[in-house]
Amino acid sequence: MDLNTIKENLTFPIKAPQYRVGVDGFMSYANSTLTHDGRLRCPCVKCVNTKLLNPDDVNYHLLQYGIMRNYSTWVFHGESVDQSRFLYPKSLEKWILKSIGHKWRDYKCLLKGKGYDDNTDINTLYDNCPDEDVDYDQWVSLVNFWRRSNRSKESLEKAKVKPIHTTGTKSHARVREEMKKSSNKSPTRTQVYLKCHQHESEADITNQIKNVATEQGDQELDLDDDPVSQVLGKDKHGRVRGLGLGVKPLSWEILLTLGFAMV
C-alpha cells in the first residue's frame, strides 16, 4: 500500500474499516523509526508525538483516540522533508516537543470549557463540539474521556478560569530576570505570577493570592504551600505553574537558592 493511500484511509472515521487499514499501514511504515529500546512516537490526538510508547500502545491509541488531524507529513515516522526549513539545535528538540504538547493540552482545556458540562446528557454533548475544525469522532473520544474521569468537575472549573498571561511576548524567564535586576533580589514564584497575570478576568484569583501573601507571608522555597498553590492548588508532578515551560520544582529551588546567595 502506498503512502498516499495509507493517509487517505486515516481520514475516515475511527470505527470505519478503512481507518483500521490505515492504522495497519501506518504501523508498518513507521516501523523503521523505532528507538533502540523498541519504542515509537505516538501521533494520536492525546500524545501528539510527545510520548514514546511501545508499538502495541501506539496502535491502541490510534484506534481508540484517532490520529492527529493535521499531521500530514510524518516527519517523526520516516517521511522525508526539506530539512532546511526546520533547522534547529538538537538540544532544543525536547523543549519543542514539550511546547507542542503544552499547547495541545491548552487547546483541549479550551474546548472543554466551551463545550463540556458534566451535568449534560452525553448524547447532547456529542453534538455540541465548539470548534468545527475538530473531527467528530475525536470530539466524542474526548467527551467520553472527560465523562469517565474522576476529576472532570475539578478540571472543568479550571478550564473556565484559565489564567491569562498579560506580558505579551515576554517569557516568564525574561520577566523574572527583569524583576531580579530591578530589585537586586530573586523574585518568588508568587511575585512572578502576579506580575504576569494582571488581566481583569483574573482579579478574583490574584486578589486571593495577594491576601494569602499578606496574611501568611510568601514562601520562597516551599512551592506546595506558597500563596499560588494555596489558591490554585498544588502543581502537577514535574511542573511549576506560572513560571513558563520547562521549569521544574527542583530546578526552581536551586535557582532561588543561588539567587539569594548572590544577593
Side-chain angles (χ1 to χ4, degrees):
M1 188 185 303
D2 66 85
L3 186 58
N4 289 332
T5 302
I6 295 174
K7 291 183 176 180
E8 183 178 352
N9 284 333
L10 288 172
T11 63
F12 283 84
I14 291 178
K15 302 300 182 181
Q18 295 93 327
Y19 178 80
R20 294 177 177 272
V21 172
V23 171
D24 290 340
F26 170 83
M27 296 303 299
S28 298
Y29 182 86
N31 189 58
S32 63
T33 62
L34 291 174
T35 61
H36 67 280
D37 56 353
R39 294 189 297 169
L40 186 70
R41 290 201 179 277
C42 181
C44 80
V45 297
K46 287 184 63 179
C47 299
V48 291
N49 282 325
T50 64
K51 294 182 179 180
L52 288 168
L53 306 176
N54 67 61
D56 287 341
D57 287 338
V58 173
N59 187 79
Y60 173 79
H61 277 208
L62 292 176
L63 293 175
Q64 183 73 15
Y65 308 119
I67 195 168
M68 295 165 57
R69 186 179 179 86
N70 295 320
Y71 189 40
S72 56
T73 305
W74 296 349
V75 294
F76 294 109
H77 299 94
E79 186 173 0
S80 60
V81 66
D82 181 4
Q83 297 293 335
S84 64
R85 296 176 56 199
F86 303 100
L87 291 178
Y88 57 83
K90 185 68 175 177
S91 59
L92 290 180
E93 181 173 323
K94 184 177 181 180
W95 182 90
I96 291 172
L97 292 174
K98 184 179 289 186
S99 180
I100 293 172
H102 182 72
K103 296 298 183 184
W104 180 243
R105 287 192 297 272
D106 283 348
Y107 179 59
K108 288 192 291 185
C109 184
L110 177 65
L111 290 177
K112 186 174 188 178
K114 288 184 175 181
Y116 181 82
D117 188 329
D118 202 49
N119 297 316
T120 301
D121 176 73
I122 195 165
N123 291 313
T124 302
L125 292 175
Y126 289 160
D127 298 325
N128 193 36
C129 181
D131 190 333
E132 62 181 13
D133 290 331
V134 177
D135 182 80
Y136 177 77
D137 286 335
Q138 295 178 1
W139 171 250
V140 169
S141 295
L142 277 174
V143 170
N144 290 336
F145 174 76
W146 291 328
R147 182 54 61 92
R148 290 194 303 267
S149 173
N150 292 328
R151 299 185 58 201
S152 60
K153 291 184 178 180
E154 177 186 348
S155 57
L156 178 59
E157 290 304 313
K158 288 184 177 179
K160 290 180 178 178
V161 293
K162 181 173 176 59
I164 300 175
H165 187 204
T166 57
T167 54
T169 58
K170 287 186 181 180
S171 66
H172 288 80
R174 181 178 171 187
V175 171
R176 188 168 67 232
E177 187 63 24
E178 290 179 353
M179 293 175 69
K180 180 178 178 180
K181 289 182 179 180
S182 176
S183 62
N184 198 31
K185 181 179 180 180
S186 294
T188 64
R189 191 261 291 268
T190 299
Q191 292 169 336
V192 175
Y193 187 92
L194 292 175
K195 181 73 173 179
C196 294
H197 297 83
Q198 299 182 12
H199 195 273
E200 58 182 11
S201 65
E202 281 195 85
D204 289 342
I205 294 176
T206 54
N207 285 334
Q208 290 180 52
I209 294 174
K210 291 176 182 177
N211 291 336
V212 173
T214 300
E215 295 173 3
Q216 302 182 19
D218 191 356
Q219 303 293 323
E220 291 90 355
L221 295 179
D222 188 359
L223 294 177
D224 287 338
D225 196 40
D226 73 347
V228 173
S229 287
Q230 290 191 43
V231 174
L232 299 178
K234 293 184 178 180
D235 297 308
K236 294 182 179 179
H237 178 71
R239 182 184 176 192
V240 178
R241 182 193 289 109
L243 292 177
L245 190 64
V247 179
K248 298 182 178 180
L250 180 59
S251 62
W252 176 243
E253 292 177 13
I254 293 174
L255 177 64
L256 282 179
T257 301
L258 293 175
F260 288 125
M262 294 168 60
V263 173

